[in-house]
């Protein structure tokens, strides 16, 4: 199969991110031809002027459509792309110079219809962004599973850095309407159809994460809400590990209560965990500030996800609520 790559990038009110991403395209190494497909998803702050400034240097197609969410916008872009292999990126990503060469080499050695790559923190990121990146990707948190688990056929790529063949897209009709969660849902449907997924560890991107403590909590809370819905849709994918953040937070609350009655040794175990996290963050980031910020980042990640997971499990599995009716903000209308 002769690979013809099309980068698919939805954007919503983020022209400054598109500029940084396109600048990283200009620095890509290799001679492989590719196209960039940018989909403006109903933005009130369009990226048109930024895109036009790069069109004499990069092969860019630019589309404007009504807002219908990132999943539907990716589908829209893939339907109009010229390539036979789509590389899907979020607008808040920056590509390393060797990204495309790494992907091409891996797919030529061992072709797979869907791959995912991890994310990393760029040196230009803020301390908060670096701390949240550590929390989302470290092996000491649940975030490490999606970025560093070297599994061929059970890795669930995330759409901030994901490859999908045209054949797989046409077989599945692409992403569904749920968001977040549209990417693991697609992975599971691919498996059901006999397609393989793969992690390419070296194909990382710098994921900038336009984030604050408040928006980080909202993000991970939605992740927690979505997982029981995916378990309901795809029962074979249920795992006990999805309960870990909920149990972690419930256990921490119980330990704090017990410490009031001078029963402190369980709380000491939690303190050892956070000391370990601090040391790992320090080794990885070489920054005391980032390492201290990693502790609240982990707490917010576990509490937001764990509370969302528990709330959604009770609604969907116990009370038998219709997910789309009970959690309407998790679903977009498709165009």
């Amino acid at each position: 199969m002769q690979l013809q790559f099309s980068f698919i990038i939805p954007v919503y009110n983020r022209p400054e991110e598109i500029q940084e991403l396109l600048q990283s395209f200009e620095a890509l190494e290799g001679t492989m031809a590719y196209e960039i497909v940018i989909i403006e998803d109903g933005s009130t702050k369009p990226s048109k002027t930024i895109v036009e400034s790069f069109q004499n240097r990069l092969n860019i197609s630019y589309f404007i459509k009504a807002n219908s969410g990132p999943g539907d916008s990716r589908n829209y872009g893939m339907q109009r792309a010229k390539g036979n292999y789509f590389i899907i990126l979020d607008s808040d990503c920056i590509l390393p110079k060797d990204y495309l060469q790494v992907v091409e080499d891996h797919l030529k050695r061992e072709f797979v219809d869907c791959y995912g790559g991890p994310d990393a923190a760029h040196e230009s990121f803020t301390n908060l962004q670096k701390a949240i990146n550590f929390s989302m990707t470290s092996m000491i948190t649940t975030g490490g599973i999606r970025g560093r688990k070297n599994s061929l056929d059970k890795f669930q790529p995330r759409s901030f850095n994901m490859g999908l063949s045209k054949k797989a897209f046409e077989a599945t009709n692409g992403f569904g309407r749920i968001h977040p969660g549209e990417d693991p849902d697609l992975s599971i449907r691919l498996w059901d159809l006999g397609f393989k997924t793969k992690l390419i560890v070296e194909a990382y991107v710098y994921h900038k994460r336009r984030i604050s403590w408040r928006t980080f909590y909202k993000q991970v809370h939605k992740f927690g809400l979505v997982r029981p819905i995916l378990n309901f849709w795809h029962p074979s994918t249920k795992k006990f590990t999805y309960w870990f953040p909920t149990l972690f937070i419930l256990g921490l609350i119980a330990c704090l209560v017990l410490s009031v009655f001078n029963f402190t040794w369980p709380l000491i175990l939690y303190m050892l965990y956070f000391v370990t996290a601090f040391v790992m963050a320090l080794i990885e980031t070489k920054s005391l500030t980032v390492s201290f910020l990693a502790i609240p980042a982990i707490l917010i990640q576990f509490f937001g996800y764990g509370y969302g997971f528990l709330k959604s499990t009770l609604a969907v599995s116990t009370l038998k609520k219709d997910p789309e009716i009970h959690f309407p903000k998790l679903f977009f209308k498709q165009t």
Side-chain angles (χ1 to χ4, degrees):
M1 176 181 177
Q2 183 66 39
L3 292 170
Q4 299 170 327
F5 291 111
S6 295
F7 285 88
I8 310 297
I9 307 164
V11 59
Y12 179 71
N13 289 340
R14 301 289 174 173
E16 67 283 356
E17 291 178 353
I18 286 296
Q19 178 158 352
E20 285 188 296
L21 178 52
L22 291 179
Q23 286 171 342
S24 72
F25 272 104
E26 288 190 301
L28 282 182
E29 297 171 342
T31 59
M32 183 96 183
Y34 60 87
E35 69 166 337
I36 303 168
V37 180
I38 297 176
I39 309 95
E40 195 82 70
D41 185 26
S43 299
T44 56
K45 291 173 57 180
S47 304
K48 183 178 181 181
T49 302
I50 300 296
V51 171
E52 287 176 346
S53 70
F54 284 89
Q55 282 187 319
N56 63 338
R57 307 192 299 276
L58 296 170
N59 179 18
I60 306 176
S61 298
Y62 179 66
F63 299 96
I64 301 173
K65 55 178 281 298
N67 179 253
S68 60
D72 188 54
S73 295
R74 297 180 194 114
N75 293 344
Y76 184 98
M78 288 186 281
Q79 289 164 356
R80 289 156 178 80
K82 300 179 179 68
N84 58 16
Y85 205 99
F86 309 127
I87 299 178
I88 301 159
L89 302 172
D90 278 358
S91 64
D92 58 350
C93 290
I94 299 172
L95 296 177
K97 292 181 180 180
D98 63 347
Y99 178 86
L100 187 57
Q101 193 66 59
V102 167
V103 170
E104 182 186 11
D105 290 346
H106 271 269
L107 292 179
K108 283 184 175 179
R109 287 199 309 269
E110 186 178 1
F111 182 82
V112 66
D113 284 283
C114 181
Y115 78 83
D119 50 348
H122 193 270
E123 60 183 9
S124 66
F125 288 7
T126 66
N127 288 332
L128 178 58
Q129 288 171 327
K130 291 176 181 177
I132 289 174
N133 182 81
F134 173 82
S135 177
M136 293 289 283
T137 62
S138 174
M139 288 304 298
I140 203 169
T141 71
T142 58
I145 295 173
R146 66 187 180 87
R148 298 180 182 180
K149 185 177 180 181
N150 198 1
S151 171
L152 174 62
D153 59 353
K154 291 302 176 184
F155 178 72
Q156 296 180 7
R158 294 297 187 264
S159 51
F160 67 84
N161 179 16
M162 179 181 189
L164 184 70
S165 71
K166 184 175 182 178
K167 177 182 177 182
F169 169 66
E170 291 176 341
T172 58
N173 294 316
F175 295 95
R177 294 190 303 109
I178 194 168
H179 177 73
E182 71 276 18
D183 28 21
D185 172 62
L186 175 57
S187 295
I188 297 165
R189 290 188 285 114
L190 284 167
W191 298 339
D192 290 343
L193 291 172
F195 291 99
K196 299 293 185 181
T197 61
K198 178 182 181 180
L199 170 66
I200 302 179
V201 177
E202 298 86 355
Y204 64 90
V205 299
Y206 300 114
H207 197 188
K208 197 161 190 176
R209 302 187 193 281
R210 47 184 185 269
I211 211 90
S212 64
W213 289 130
R214 182 180 62 85
T215 54
F216 180 48
Y217 174 81
K218 288 176 63 177
Q219 182 186 61
V220 293
H221 183 64
K222 283 185 176 181
F223 290 161
L225 290 174
V226 160
R227 181 53 67 177
I229 297 173
L230 297 178
N231 291 343
F232 175 70
W233 289 348
H234 309 287
S236 63
T237 64
K238 289 183 180 180
K239 294 180 181 179
F240 181 72
T241 52
Y242 295 142
W243 279 95
F244 282 2
T246 304
L247 297 176
F248 182 94
I249 292 301
L250 291 177
L252 179 57
I253 293 171
C255 289
L256 291 171
V257 172
L258 289 172
S259 68
V260 175
F261 301 97
N262 295 320
F263 191 64
T264 58
W265 71 262
L267 187 59
I268 292 173
L269 295 178
Y270 273 89
M271 295 304 102
L272 289 173
Y273 169 84
F274 287 116
V275 169
T276 302
F278 175 86
V279 172
M280 290 180 66
L282 186 61
I283 293 171
E284 182 172 321
T285 68
K286 298 176 176 60
S287 167
L288 281 171
T289 302
V290 173
S291 302
F292 279 114
L293 288 173
I295 304 306
I298 292 171
L299 280 169
I300 290 170
Q301 180 189 355
F302 275 55
F303 184 81
Y305 185 101
Y307 174 53
F309 184 87
L310 181 62
K311 182 167 62 174
S312 184
T313 297
L314 291 174
V316 175
S317 299
T318 305
L319 301 178
K320 309 299 181 184
K321 300 287 187 179
D322 184 316
E324 193 165 348
I325 295 174
H326 196 70
F327 299 112
K329 292 184 178 180
L330 296 178
F331 294 87
F332 279 94
K333 293 182 179 180
Q334 288 178 311
T335 56

